[in-house]
Amino acid sequence: MNIGLDVGSTTAKVVHMEDGEVIFSKVVPSQRWIELIDDEQGEKNIVSTGYFRKKVPHFAAITEITTASLGARYHDPDVQVIVDIGGQDTKVIDLRNNTFVINDKCSAGTGAFLELAAHYFDIPVGSLGELHSQATKGAQINNTCGVFAISEMISQLVGGFSMEEVIYGLHQAFALRIAQMVPPADTVMLIGGTVQNTGIVDAVNNMLDSKIEVPGAPQLVNALGAALYMERLNDSR
Ligand code: ADP
């Protein structure tokens, strides 16, 4: 058994692999990571990653840069750039020259920003994509820093834009912020929990000239990469 355990700042994810195939996966809030570990499996088969990787049982702890590369290439061996939009930070990894940039200074361009907006509208974050698709135009939003964006949202709502149009505009502003971090590339893969929001994928797709790829389970890519790394370690033992 090869176990990848990704304990990020917002959620914890586990992927079990056997013979190169994923046989189990699960996501829980980060503080409940213990629910993902079975004592009988022991830590000798676990590779951990994510912000809290060193705080959880592991045989090896590796960065999300390594796990994202392995996990993304599992889905597309030719992918050039990875954009990982997590709960508290966004990472852009250029696989052509092994460089990366990270934005973790404020909530702009992270899941936390969209959670703030969803909280303001009193809707689940999972419904933002559907509401985005119902808008035919977007309200102009320029700020992606939490409180400033909320006051811009309110002013656009007062000015007559609908909730759907404001959400569309927020996604545009978010995508612009992301696009500024992404180098020109043929293929860009979006991963992380936030890209389950189809509005974000749509907005990024409209913003970049690259072919945009979203794997089946984008939130699990780093845990998958960690499980693949464990598989390599086990193969070489
Ligand atoms: P991290 O690894 O940094 O803990 P994740 O990659 O697990 O973060 O992403 C967590 C983010 O994904 C949260 O901000 C959450 O709001 C967002 N998210 C989770 N599910 C959905 C969904 N269905 N639609 C939109 N966003 C989602």
Side-chain angles (χ1 to χ4, degrees):
M1 172 83 77
N2 302 297
I3 301 173
L5 178 64
D6 172 13
V7 186
S9 56
T10 310
T11 69
K13 288 79 61 175
V14 77
V15 164
H16 294 182
M17 292 195 84
E18 226 163 55
D19 303 325
E21 298 291 330
V22 175
I23 56 167
F24 176 76
S25 66
K26 192 171 175 184
V27 182
V28 296
S30 296
Q31 66 273 21
R32 286 170 40 198
W33 63 267
I34 197 108
E35 294 171 25
L36 303 179
I37 303 286
D38 183 339
D39 275 349
E40 281 171 28
Q41 288 157 353
E43 62 187 47
K44 70 178 192 308
N45 288 319
I46 300 175
V47 165
S48 64
T49 188
Y51 187 74
F52 294 111
R53 63 185 175 275
K54 293 193 176 147
K55 297 208 181 271
V56 296
H58 58 265
F59 177 72
I62 61 175
T63 71
E64 297 109 289
I65 310 303
T66 307
T67 55
S69 309
L70 289 169
R73 284 188 167 130
Y74 179 85
H75 290 291
D76 175 7
D78 298 322
V79 64
Q80 294 179 339
V81 171
I82 303 166
V83 182
D84 182 355
I85 313 177
Q88 304 284 346
D89 64 20
T90 295
K91 301 178 200 72
V92 176
I93 306 161
D94 192 335
L95 295 169
R96 294 165 299 185
N97 51 20
N98 285 320
T99 55
F100 75 96
V101 283
I102 180 165
N103 161 35
D104 58 1
K105 293 283 180 290
C106 79
S107 70
T110 72
F113 168 73
L114 296 171
E115 280 172 34
L116 204 64
H119 182 73
Y120 173 78
F121 286 119
D122 199 18
I123 54 170
V125 81
S127 64
L128 288 170
E130 173 62 23
L131 291 164
H132 170 105
S133 71
Q134 288 165 17
T136 49
K137 63 177 179 0
Q140 178 83 28
I141 306 279
N142 298 309
N143 224 304
T144 46
C145 255
V147 280
F148 298 112
I150 297 288
S151 70
E152 252 191 296
M153 276 166 51
I154 295 170
S155 119
Q156 293 293 39
L157 290 165
V158 171
F161 282 99
S162 67
M163 175 175 73
E164 289 81 356
E165 288 163 347
V166 167
I167 289 169
Y168 189 99
L170 271 180
H171 288 161
Q172 291 293 119
F174 187 101
L176 180 61
R177 176 92 188 190
I178 300 284
Q180 286 162 350
M181 298 169 70
V182 181
D186 296 335
T187 49
V188 173
M189 186 177 289
L190 306 183
I191 68 169
T194 305
V195 310
Q196 293 174 106
N197 177 342
T198 50
I200 288 297
V201 177
D202 181 56
V204 172
N205 204 5
N206 290 336
M207 203 77 68
L208 295 177
D209 289 331
S210 318
K211 178 178 168 226
I212 303 296
E213 301 178 335
V214 183
Q219 195 170 19
L220 293 174
V221 172
N222 284 311
L224 171 71
L228 287 164
Y229 195 90
M230 188 70 241
E231 193 167 62
R232 286 185 186 181
L233 291 175
N234 271 333
D235 286 349
S236 64
R237 278 204 256 214

